Amino acid sequence: MKDNKRRFETEVIHSGYQPNEHYDSLVPPIYQTSTFTFATAEQGEQRFAGNEEGFIYSRLGNPTVKILDERIAALEKGEAALAFASGMAAVSAVLMALTQSGDHILCSKGVYGCTYGLLQILKRKYQISHDFSLMDSKEELERSIQANTACIYIETPINPTMKLVDLQMVAEIAKAKGIPVVVDNTFCSPYLQTPLTLGCQVVIHSATKYICGHGDVIAGLAAGSKDLMEQIARTTQKDVGGVLSSFDAWLLLRGLKTLPVRMDRHCENAEKLFDFLKDHPKVEAIYYPGDRKHADYQIKNKQMKKSGGLISFTVKGTKETAQRFINQLQLIKIAVSLGDAETLIQHPATMTHAAVPAAERKRMEIEDNLLRLSVGLEAWEDLIEDLEQALAKI
Ligand code: PLP
């Protein structure tokens, strides 16, 4: 069977790795080395000049990390991919590679708190401006694009409001204007959504989340065309230096093998918890792409394989009510991050999006009584019992 015919469930296990190239080791080895030796000075010269294949120094490339790069490229259907020390290292390397002083970045209406922080740095120090756009119609998008818009940056689902952006619609308009579209695909993983196949140019992940799946790594990824990934590898990855270690790459390769199985269970559990929460008298509003009443339900059907493992909801009451509620949970852990085996809940206004000024949070519709639930892999009945007893106490 040709490699390019293999299915996702096979690719997560085999892509990028051949045992016979590594002493027949079934599992990829960890190349725990900072540097690589050259047989001669001339060989070193040729490798630096790019005239000879081979590794040089692990910030410029490492065999274990390369296996991960190739596997992610296959899963995201890109020509190439790069691994970073964190999701934010990936976001910053991509945005810095695509922009220069005087440019403009158009963002979806809501981004992760630290991405918001990075946008402020780019604006303050490098005069790279940004705006947030609803991206809910062609007309609105056309109006929001400026003459100096150098890239469009999208989260979908948006963290933590769970609004969706129609990627194909944005990609078509951006293509006509020659503007690259960058998508943070963290909430979906390539199992649920592949933005490159919808016409977008770059996919980013906080691989800390579903791709790792076990809550024990901080990592980031970017995938796209070979040319752009090579450019980033030579510039904002190599020279800024936020590269992934070989051990963390190995842990991600291990986590990836079960991604489809885990994602199916995350999605099934989330459906059960949504069914419980949606009519609960203490729940004010609920935001979940699988909700038929969700404003973007049709977009979900168009571009996501399933509805994902995240649910946001407001409890009736104030910020303090929301805090009292999560303090009562016994099984579900209060923690930022998502995509782990453990079910996690967090309070965006004081945690992941605390750095976003209150007025901007309001515009992004992050209410003070909003909670974000990352549904884990436990028995859904136990999770519902925990939510039920905690809700009964507020
Ligand atoms: N993008 C999204 C949507 C996130 O939720 C996060 C982290 O929570 C990041 C990017 C940043 O990733 P990391 O924490 O791995 O740097």
Side-chain angles (χ1 to χ4, degrees):
M1 194 191 310
K2 288 241 174 66
D3 272 13
N4 60 9
K5 289 267 171 16
R6 296 193 310 201
R7 288 157 187 82
F8 191 91
E9 290 76 0
T10 307
E11 295 283 51
V12 288
I13 296 169
H14 293 285
S15 202
Y17 183 66
Q18 284 297 344
N20 60 5
E21 291 167 13
H22 299 269
Y23 298 102
D24 299 320
S25 165
L26 173 68
V27 171
I30 305 170
Y31 286 89
Q32 190 73 15
T33 182
S34 54
T35 200
F36 298 82
T37 58
F38 309 129
T40 61
E42 289 75 15
Q43 185 182 50
E45 182 182 10
Q46 290 308 313
R47 288 209 186 157
F48 268 90
N51 297 332
E52 183 189 296
E53 291 260 321
F55 293 95
I56 296 174
Y57 180 70
S58 277
R59 181 159 43 74
L60 282 54
N62 171 284
T64 312
V65 179
K66 184 165 177 268
I67 297 167
L68 175 67
D69 292 347
E70 288 180 8
R71 194 163 295 178
I72 293 300
L75 299 179
E76 283 290 2
K77 315 243 181 281
E79 289 173 2
L82 297 170
F84 294 85
S86 69
M88 287 316 303
V91 176
S92 52
V94 169
L95 286 183
M96 284 161 64
L98 290 177
T99 57
Q100 46 194 330
S101 186
D103 281 346
H104 171 254
I105 303 172
L106 187 65
C107 301
S108 52
K109 196 191 165 199
V111 288
Y112 169 58
C114 295
T115 304
Y116 181 86
L118 173 68
L119 292 169
Q120 306 314 308
I121 296 173
L122 294 178
K123 185 160 120 187
R124 215 171 39 242
K125 296 188 72 133
Y126 307 108
Q127 295 76 52
I128 298 166
S129 61
H130 63 267
D131 280 301
F132 296 100
S133 155
L134 272 176
M135 301 186 186
D136 61 350
S137 71
K138 288 185 180 174
E139 297 69 32
E140 194 267 354
L141 183 63
E142 300 259 13
R143 271 199 309 275
S144 308
I145 293 174
Q146 301 182 7
N148 60 342
T149 301
C151 88
I152 297 182
Y153 185 91
I154 299 174
E155 278 183 22
T156 180
I158 294 175
N159 183 4
T161 56
M162 306 305 291
K163 289 179 192 303
L164 308 186
V165 176
D166 183 337
L167 292 177
Q168 207 169 12
M169 184 272 282
V170 177
E172 273 169 21
I173 290 177
K175 189 177 175 197
K177 295 178 187 289
I179 302 171
V181 180
V182 180
V183 181
D184 182 331
N185 204 22
T186 300
F187 273 30
C188 284
S189 89
Y191 183 58
L192 298 184
Q193 181 171 274
T194 45
L196 301 180
T197 65
L198 300 170
C200 303
Q201 279 64 46
V202 184
V203 169
I204 287 175
H205 283 279
S206 168
T208 313
K209 313 292 165 29
Y210 288 110
I211 290 195
C212 168
H214 295 76
D216 46 16
V217 175
I218 297 281
L221 299 162
S225 72
K226 194 163 176 284
D227 282 354
L228 181 61
M229 292 301 122
E230 274 177 9
Q231 183 204 325
I232 294 172
R234 278 197 313 270
T235 57
T236 52
Q237 184 183 50
K238 172 175 80 69
D239 296 337
V240 180
V243 292
L244 192 67
S245 76
S246 55
F247 180 57
D248 284 343
W250 184 86
L251 284 171
L252 293 189
L253 286 165
R254 187 165 73 153
L256 266 175
K257 291 184 187 180
T258 55
L259 178 71
V261 184
R262 288 187 283 107
M263 287 311 290
D264 281 343
R265 178 66 172 265
H266 283 297
C267 293
E268 281 164 29
N269 276 1
E271 265 177 47
K272 300 281 187 197
L273 268 55
F274 166 72
D275 281 342
F276 166 75
L277 288 168
K278 72 179 193 307
D279 299 320
H280 195 284
K282 304 264 176 81
V283 172
E284 184 184 60
I286 188 154
Y287 309 99
Y288 167 64
D291 181 356
R292 285 170 190 283
K293 294 187 204 139
H294 190 296
D296 302 326
Y297 184 68
Q298 291 314 329
I299 301 178
K300 190 276 293 182
N301 286 341
K302 194 173 152 194
Q303 67 192 28
M304 289 170 67
K305 186 174 170 185
K306 294 185 177 185
S307 306
L310 285 143
I311 302 172
S312 290
F313 60 99
T314 50
V315 288
K316 284 181 185 157
T318 59
K319 164 187 155 192
E320 287 72 26
T321 323
Q323 289 179 323
R324 256 191 295 127
F325 161 60
I326 61 175
N327 284 342
Q328 296 300 329
L329 291 165
Q330 290 166 5
L331 176 63
I332 298 171
K333 304 287 178 263
I334 306 173
V336 294
S337 205
L338 57 104
D340 293 331
E342 295 83 357
T343 297
L344 306 178
I345 198 160
Q346 66 107 0
H347 182 241
T350 58
M351 296 179 185
T352 49
H353 291 69
V356 179
E360 191 65 64
R361 275 207 308 273
K362 197 107 202 121
R363 273 194 291 278
M364 290 180 176
E365 297 174 44
I366 303 172
E367 303 295 338
D368 283 351
N369 57 347
L370 182 76
L371 294 162
R372 189 194 73 194
L373 184 66
S374 167
V375 183
L377 305 178
E378 301 96 334
W380 57 267
E381 295 91 336
D382 293 332
L383 297 171
I384 289 181
E385 276 173 31
D386 196 25
L387 290 168
E388 195 163 31
Q389 65 79 24
L391 283 167
K393 293 183 182 137
I394 57 167

